[in-house]
Amino acid sequence: MDYVRKLPLLIALLSSVIVGLVGRLQRVPDKENMLRMIIVMVIFYSLGLLIRGTIVDIKNSIDKKRAEEEEQARALLEAEKKQNEQNNNEQEAMNSGNILDLKVDDDLVFGTDDEDFDALPVADFIKKELNQ
C-alpha cells in the first residue's frame, strides 16, 4: 500500500525523466526541454492521482465486501448453531419420557421384612368378631 501512496510522484518523475532524455537526444534547447518536463510532470502527476484514487476505492470496496461476507457467514453459522440446539432440545424432550431403564436385583434389601409386619388392632378385632 506504500507504493500506491507514492504512485503519482513516481509516475510523474519517471515520465519527466523520459521526456528529458528524449529531448536531450533530439538536441532540444534546455529551456524548452525543462518546460516540457514540467508540463509532463504535472499531467502525469494528476493522472497518478486518478490511478491511486481508483486503486484505493477498489481496495476499500473489496475489504468492505469481504467484511460483509464474513459477517453473513458468522450470522449464518450462529443461526445454524441455534437451530441445532433447538432441534437437540426438542429431541431430548421427546425422548426423555420414552426411555425406561430398569435394573432388577434379587439381593436388594429394602429394610422391611414380612415378620416385622404387625397388623393393626382393628384388624385383630374384626377377625375375632367374624370368628364368633
Side-chain angles (χ1 to χ4, degrees), residues 13 15 19 23 28 39 43-44 49 52-53 55 60 64 67-68 77 82-83 96 98-99 101 104 106 109 125 130-131:
L13 291 176
S15 62
V19 168
V28 177
I39 292 171
I43 291 171
F44 277 93
L49 287 174
R52 180 179 71 183
I55 291 173
N60 289 341
K64 186 177 179 181
E68 288 175 0
L77 190 66
K82 285 181 182 179
Q83 183 68 26
S96 65
N98 296 337
I99 298 175
D101 190 16
V104 177
D106 291 335
V109 177
F125 177 74
L130 287 176
N131 287 339

Coordinates of all heavy atoms in Angstrom, one line a residue, residues 13 15 19 23 28 39 43-44 49 52-53 55 60 64 67-68 77 82-83 96 98-99 101 104 106 109 125 130-131:
L13 N 7.7 11.6 -12.0 CA 9.1 11.7 -12.1 C 9.7 10.8 -13.2 O 10.5 11.3 -14.0 CB 9.8 11.3 -10.7 CG 9.6 12.3 -9.6 CD1 10.2 11.7 -8.3 CD2 10.2 13.6 -9.9
S15 N 8.1 9.8 -15.9 CA 7.7 10.4 -17.2 C 8.5 11.6 -17.6 O 8.9 11.8 -18.7 CB 6.2 10.7 -17.3 OG 5.9 11.7 -16.3
V19 N 11.0 12.1 -20.8 CA 10.8 13.3 -21.7 C 12.1 14.1 -21.8 O 12.5 14.5 -22.9 CB 9.6 14.1 -21.3 CG1 9.6 15.5 -22.0 CG2 8.3 13.4 -21.6
G23 N 14.3 14.6 -25.2 CA 14.6 16.0 -25.6 C 16.1 16.2 -25.7 O 16.6 16.9 -26.6
V28 N 17.1 19.4 -28.1 CA 16.2 20.5 -27.9 C 16.9 21.4 -26.9 O 17.6 20.9 -26.0 CB 14.9 19.9 -27.3 CG1 13.9 21.0 -26.9 CG2 14.2 18.9 -28.3
I39 N 5.6 20.3 -17.8 CA 4.2 20.1 -18.2 C 3.9 18.6 -18.1 O 2.8 18.2 -17.7 CB 4.1 20.6 -19.7 CG1 4.1 22.1 -19.7 CG2 2.7 20.1 -20.3 CD1 4.2 22.7 -21.1
I43 N 1.0 16.8 -15.8 CA 0.0 15.9 -16.4 C 0.0 14.5 -15.8 O -1.0 13.9 -15.4 CB 0.1 15.9 -17.9 CG1 -0.2 17.2 -18.5 CG2 -0.7 14.8 -18.5 CD1 0.2 17.3 -20.0
F44 N 1.2 13.9 -15.7 CA 1.3 12.6 -15.2 C 1.1 12.5 -13.7 O 0.6 11.5 -13.2 CB 2.6 11.9 -15.6 CG 2.6 11.4 -17.0 CD1 3.0 12.1 -18.1 CD2 2.1 10.1 -17.2 CE1 2.9 11.6 -19.3 CE2 2.1 9.6 -18.5 CZ 2.5 10.3 -19.6
L49 N -2.7 10.6 -9.6 CA -3.7 10.8 -8.5 C -5.0 10.1 -8.8 O -5.6 9.5 -7.9 CB -4.0 12.3 -8.3 CG -2.9 13.1 -7.6 CD1 -3.3 14.6 -7.6 CD2 -2.7 12.6 -6.2
R52 N -4.3 6.3 -8.4 CA -4.2 6.0 -6.9 C -5.6 6.0 -6.3 O -6.0 5.1 -5.5 CB -3.4 7.0 -6.2 CG -3.3 6.7 -4.7 CD -2.4 7.6 -4.0 NE -3.0 8.9 -3.9 CZ -2.5 10.0 -3.3 NH1 -1.2 9.9 -2.8 NH2 -3.1 11.1 -3.3
G53 N -6.5 7.0 -6.6 CA -7.8 7.0 -6.1 C -8.6 5.8 -6.5 O -9.4 5.2 -5.7
I55 N -7.4 2.8 -7.4 CA -6.9 1.6 -6.7 C -7.4 1.6 -5.2 O -7.8 0.5 -4.7 CB -5.4 1.6 -6.8 CG1 -4.9 1.3 -8.2 CG2 -4.8 0.6 -5.8 CD1 -3.4 1.4 -8.4
N60 N -10.8 -0.6 -1.0 CA -11.8 -0.4 0.1 C -13.1 -1.2 -0.2 O -13.7 -1.8 0.7 CB -12.2 1.1 0.2 CG -11.0 1.8 0.8 OD1 -10.1 1.3 1.5 ND2 -11.0 3.1 0.6
K64 N -14.6 -4.1 2.1 CA -16.0 -4.0 2.6 C -16.8 -5.2 2.3 O -17.5 -5.8 3.2 CB -16.6 -2.7 2.1 CG -18.0 -2.4 2.6 CD -18.5 -1.1 2.0 CE -19.9 -0.8 2.6 NZ -20.4 0.4 2.0
A67 N -15.7 -8.1 4.5 CA -16.2 -8.0 5.8 C -17.7 -8.3 5.9 O -18.1 -9.0 6.8 CB -16.0 -6.6 6.3
E68 N -18.4 -7.9 4.9 CA -19.9 -8.3 4.9 C -20.1 -9.8 4.7 O -20.9 -10.3 5.4 CB -20.6 -7.5 3.7 CG -20.7 -6.0 4.0 CD -21.3 -5.3 2.8 OE1 -21.6 -6.0 1.7 OE2 -21.5 -4.1 2.9
L77 N -23.8 -19.1 10.6 CA -23.3 -20.1 11.5 C -24.0 -20.1 12.8 O -24.3 -21.1 13.4 CB -21.7 -19.9 11.6 CG -21.0 -21.0 12.3 CD1 -21.0 -22.3 11.5 CD2 -19.6 -20.6 12.5
K82 N -28.0 -22.3 16.6 CA -29.2 -22.1 17.4 C -30.2 -23.1 17.0 O -30.9 -23.7 17.8 CB -29.7 -20.7 17.3 CG -29.0 -19.7 18.1 CD -29.6 -18.3 17.9 CE -28.8 -17.3 18.7 NZ -29.4 -15.9 18.5
Q83 N -30.3 -23.3 15.7 CA -31.3 -24.3 15.1 C -31.0 -25.7 15.6 O -31.8 -26.5 16.0 CB -31.3 -24.2 13.6 CG -32.4 -25.1 13.0 CD -33.8 -24.7 13.3 OE1 -34.1 -23.6 13.5 NE2 -34.7 -25.7 13.3
S96 N -37.1 -38.1 26.4 CA -36.9 -38.2 27.8 C -38.0 -39.1 28.4 O -37.8 -39.8 29.4 CB -36.9 -36.9 28.5 OG -38.2 -36.2 28.3
N98 N -39.8 -41.6 26.9 CA -39.9 -42.9 26.2 C -38.9 -43.9 26.7 O -39.1 -45.1 26.5 CB -39.7 -42.7 24.7 CG -40.8 -41.8 24.2 OD1 -41.9 -41.7 24.7 ND2 -40.5 -41.2 23.0
I99 N -37.9 -43.5 27.4 CA -36.8 -44.4 27.8 C -37.0 -44.8 29.2 O -37.1 -44.0 30.1 CB -35.4 -43.8 27.6 CG1 -35.2 -43.5 26.1 CG2 -34.3 -44.7 28.1 CD1 -33.9 -42.8 25.9
D101 N -35.3 -47.3 32.0 CA -34.1 -48.1 32.2 C -34.2 -48.7 33.6 O -34.0 -48.0 34.6 CB -32.8 -47.2 32.1 CG -31.6 -48.1 32.1 OD1 -31.7 -49.3 31.9 OD2 -30.5 -47.5 32.3
V104 N -32.9 -55.0 37.7 CA -33.5 -56.0 38.6 C -32.4 -56.6 39.4 O -31.4 -57.1 38.9 CB -34.3 -57.1 37.9 CG1 -34.9 -58.0 38.9 CG2 -35.4 -56.5 37.1
D106 N -32.0 -59.2 42.8 CA -32.7 -60.0 43.8 C -32.1 -59.8 45.2 O -32.8 -60.0 46.2 CB -32.5 -61.5 43.4 CG -33.3 -61.8 42.2 OD1 -34.3 -61.1 41.9 OD2 -32.9 -62.8 41.5
V109 N -32.2 -55.2 49.4 CA -33.0 -55.3 50.7 C -33.5 -53.9 51.0 O -32.8 -52.9 51.0 CB -32.1 -55.7 51.8 CG1 -32.8 -55.7 53.2 CG2 -31.5 -57.1 51.6
F125 N -59.4 -57.2 65.9 CA -60.8 -57.1 66.5 C -61.8 -57.6 65.4 O -62.7 -58.4 65.8 CB -61.1 -55.6 66.8 CG -62.5 -55.4 67.3 CD1 -62.9 -55.8 68.5 CD2 -63.5 -54.8 66.4 CE1 -64.2 -55.6 69.0 CE2 -64.7 -54.6 66.9 CZ -65.1 -55.0 68.1
L130 N -65.6 -61.9 63.5 CA -66.0 -62.8 62.5 C -66.0 -64.2 62.9 O -66.8 -65.0 62.4 CB -65.2 -62.6 61.2 CG -65.4 -61.3 60.4 CD1 -64.4 -61.2 59.3 CD2 -66.8 -61.2 59.9
N131 N -65.1 -64.6 63.7 CA -64.9 -66.0 64.2 C -66.1 -66.3 65.1 O -66.4 -67.5 65.3 CB -63.6 -66.2 64.8 CG -62.5 -66.2 63.7 OD1 -62.7 -66.5 62.6 ND2 -61.2 -66.0 64.2

